[in-house]
Amino acid sequence: MSEDLRARPGPVPELAGPPVFTRPAIPVQLREYWLEPRGRHAARRAPRWRHRLLVTVAVVLSLTATGLAIGIHTVHGRDSDISVTAGWPGIQYLIYVVWLVPLGELMLLIVGQVFYRFRFRVAPDGKFSHLLIQITTTGREQERVNEVIGQIRDYRLTMSFELWVVTEPGAGDRYPQADRVLTVPAAFIARSERKARALEYSRQARVALRLDRPDVKVLFNDDDVAPTRAYIETAFSADYDICEGITAPRTDYAVRPLGHFLASHADDMRTHACLVYCSVFQGILGRPLHVHGEGLTVTGQAEGRVTWNWPAFASEDLVFGQKAARAGLRWGWFHEYVELTSPWNLRDFITQRRRWLWGDIHGVLHRDVFSWPGAMVVVAKYVFGLATVVFSLTGLYLKVSGQLPASSPVYSVSKLAILSWLALFFSCGWIGASSRVAGRSADSRLLAAAAAVIMMPASSLLTLAGIFVPLVQGNPRTFQVISKTRQGGARSALAAQSHPLRP
């Protein structure tokens, strides 16, 4: 790359007057570091046997884990009778440990909150001079994107900032309040695909515009997400190379139709993960277990070190977060919210989870996406979730069938663990119903929080369905987007009825 395009320190001039719609001309020199193809449509199609093998292995492992948990074995009785029974010596101790997981999660939440309140690092005045808020979209939700842009404009943010929209060719550019609209050329070549490819194009644009500096922050956003003012201000002032806060399904939370109501409560699990695990793994350990692209904030220099130019087609946020940690960049976590929109029907819910799951699977199977330690973290995350469910249900079966001791001090502690888990989900429901835009009353939020507790078993089962159903369906091989508005969700539901077998 020529010298005049390299990052240089210095202030970014503030925008004068009202926002101006511009379309940047990306210099030809950018082509000097485009990597050779795999183009936009060059994804290699895995043979069907690989998918069948993967599903078979998953099913066998699940059945094996279930068998081990229940302790299925054969018993040889008198007269050579053979019977199959359940339970093995010591199983109750493992079940007791699993039953106490909610208490462990409560402790993680407390530790994460304490660390944030007392150890969160705020940058000195002047360290960061400019904020770039980027919304990446396929162009199908222009109305929703313009709503988000208008909401951010209404915050009257005090820092120097600009709003970018990055979209696909032919999607239109009707974003009058955006400062800059980037359309990713069809001819643009990168190792990454789909959304990650668009992110790489925008990164190269920032290099050309000398915005890849340590004093510039970039806040990434999806087209269905509205960060709160406090979120934006905290992310900008956070003295970290990369940081993020909490996702909460606060846009039209838990309202009709039924599919959206169920999906909203299933997204309570995401809020729960942010409160419990991200607060510790990102905020304290600096090694992310989960990463969400909504509200992910990095310095321009950090983005330049990690880039988005690696062979991934989904789960790009997790890949970026893990690569950032591996590169020695400082991770931070804070307690503010980005308000997302849950899928409007269950079909879209499965579509969304399918993209996430197969993005994770692709990363686990490819070392140029996830490193070995990163892949093991992702696998351990899924195994831990499965084991928790299996052993919890096994414990209930053994308790009902009388195979566990009738009295044990663990039962008293496990009741406390259940209460703590209920309290966690009550908090998630309260957070979900607390959007200032919705303007819900305290009574309405209280009802929504109680509903989150009642819906907890259904939310857990739906989350499991979001893993096993997409696993059986297979790799989507395309970047399937879902509707972000009620009208779009209704159209999607009608399409599903007309084409029930369509992938």
Side-chain angles (χ1 to χ4, degrees):
M1 182 183 300
S2 60
E3 181 62 27
D4 62 307
L5 287 178
R6 296 185 184 277
R8 296 174 181 173
V12 177
E14 295 190 24
L15 298 172
V20 179
F21 174 83
T22 59
R23 188 180 299 282
I26 306 301
V28 175
Q29 289 94 327
L30 286 176
R31 297 176 185 172
E32 294 179 9
Y33 67 107
W34 284 1
L35 296 179
E36 286 306 318
R38 288 186 11 180
R40 184 182 179 188
H41 302 292
R44 292 173 293 182
R45 294 182 175 273
R48 292 184 178 273
W49 66 263
R50 183 178 298 177
H51 171 234
R52 294 194 183 101
L53 177 61
L54 188 62
V55 172
T56 301
V57 170
V59 171
V60 170
L61 289 177
S62 299
L63 292 177
T64 303
T66 303
L68 291 174
I70 300 176
I72 296 178
H73 59 279
T74 58
V75 176
H76 295 270
R78 296 178 180 178
D79 302 326
S80 300
D81 293 336
I82 298 177
S83 60
V84 178
T85 186
W88 41 265
I91 188 175
Q92 69 267 24
Y93 301 111
L94 184 55
I95 290 172
Y96 294 157
V97 170
V98 171
W99 280 354
L100 299 181
V101 164
L103 276 181
E105 291 184 338
L106 180 61
M107 292 304 299
L108 289 177
L109 183 146
I110 293 173
V111 170
Q113 290 291 333
V114 170
F115 188 90
Y116 165 65
R117 301 299 173 187
F118 296 100
R119 299 295 300 275
F120 183 75
R121 290 179 290 194
V122 178
D125 292 341
K127 179 170 184 177
F128 301 113
S129 64
H130 190 64
L131 174 66
L132 194 156
I133 302 173
Q134 175 174 311
I135 301 174
T136 308
T137 177
T138 60
R140 293 177 53 185
E141 302 289 346
Q142 294 192 28
E143 181 179 349
R144 176 60 182 152
V145 170
N146 284 318
E147 287 178 2
V148 172
I149 294 175
Q151 184 173 332
I152 295 175
R153 293 285 183 198
D154 290 341
Y155 291 155
R156 307 296 181 189
L157 299 170
T158 57
M159 79 283 289
S160 170
F161 78 98
E162 57 185 298
L163 285 158
W164 286 22
V165 175
V166 179
T167 187
E168 293 294 323
D173 50 22
R174 296 185 295 275
Y175 305 101
Q177 293 192 78
D179 298 309
R180 192 175 295 272
V181 178
L182 293 177
T183 300
V184 184
F188 176 69
I189 298 174
R191 296 178 68 199
S192 52
E193 302 173 27
R194 304 161 193 172
K195 182 182 176 182
R197 171 179 168 272
L199 292 171
E200 174 60 16
Y201 179 78
S202 67
R203 184 192 70 81
Q204 295 188 20
R206 281 186 282 279
V207 173
L209 297 169
R210 301 184 180 90
L211 293 174
D212 58 332
R213 307 196 309 266
D215 64 311
V216 174
K217 282 282 189 82
V218 184
L219 190 157
F220 296 100
N221 212 24
D222 289 346
D223 54 11
D224 64 326
V225 176
T228 63
R229 175 173 180 167
Y231 188 101
I232 295 174
E233 292 174 340
T234 305
F236 180 70
S237 63
D239 193 12
Y240 297 92
D241 300 306
I242 176 172
C243 63
E244 64 182 6
I246 301 170
T247 60
R250 298 172 81 170
T251 304
D252 293 315
Y253 174 70
V255 298
R256 294 180 296 178
L258 178 61
H260 180 71
F261 176 84
L262 295 173
S264 293
H265 284 300
D267 276 339
D268 288 337
M269 304 291 290
R270 298 183 64 189
T271 305
H272 168 269
C274 287
L275 290 169
V276 174
Y277 294 101
C278 294
S279 63
V280 173
F281 281 85
Q282 294 178 4
I284 301 177
L285 303 178
R287 302 289 176 179
L289 179 64
H290 305 278
V291 179
H292 51 81
E294 306 94 337
L296 183 67
T297 306
V298 303
T299 66
Q301 185 182 59
E303 186 189 25
R305 287 184 60 182
V306 179
T307 80
W308 303 93
N309 203 12
W310 11 262
F313 66 89
S315 299
E316 65 285 331
D317 40 19
L318 180 58
V319 178
F320 187 95
Q322 286 201 1
K323 286 183 176 294
R326 193 168 179 81
L329 300 177
R330 293 183 303 168
W331 254 102
W333 178 90
F334 54 91
H335 190 117
E336 296 297 343
Y337 305 104
V338 283
E339 302 178 334
L340 57 87
T341 308
S342 296
W344 283 96
N345 54 69
L346 294 182
R347 180 184 178 86
D348 282 354
F349 174 83
I350 294 297
T351 297
Q352 182 188 67
R353 267 51 178 185
R354 186 182 181 187
R355 184 175 71 240
W356 296 350
L357 174 70
W358 282 95
D360 286 355
I361 292 174
H362 175 80
V364 168
L365 297 178
H366 294 81
R367 296 289 65 76
D368 48 357
V369 180
F370 288 147
S371 64
W372 273 115
M376 292 302 99
V377 166
V378 174
V379 172
K381 175 181 68 176
Y382 284 106
V383 171
F384 176 77
L386 176 63
T388 301
V389 173
V390 168
F391 282 101
S392 295
L393 295 178
T394 300
L396 291 176
Y397 164 75
L398 295 178
K399 182 69 171 64
V400 171
S401 63
Q403 299 184 55
L404 287 181
S407 61
S408 172
V410 177
Y411 293 149
S412 299
V413 181
S414 64
K415 291 176 183 178
L416 180 61
I418 292 174
L419 288 176
S420 66
W421 212 32
L422 296 178
L424 282 174
F425 276 88
F426 183 91
S427 300
C428 292
W430 181 268
I431 291 170
S434 298
S435 173
R436 290 189 177 91
V437 176
R440 295 195 185 198
S441 65
D443 290 341
S444 176
R445 293 197 297 271
L446 184 63
L447 181 61
V453 173
I454 296 172
M455 292 298 299
M456 183 178 62
S459 300
S460 300
L461 291 175
L462 193 56
T463 300
L464 285 176
I467 297 175
F468 286 102
V469 173
L471 185 63
V472 174
Q473 287 178 326
N475 193 332
R477 308 192 189 285
T478 60
F479 192 82
Q480 297 177 314
V481 295
I482 63 174
S483 299
K484 312 299 171 52
T485 60
R486 184 187 297 271
Q487 297 79 5
R491 289 193 297 269
S492 177
L494 288 174
Q497 295 174 9
S498 302
H499 305 278
L501 298 180
R502 189 178 59 187

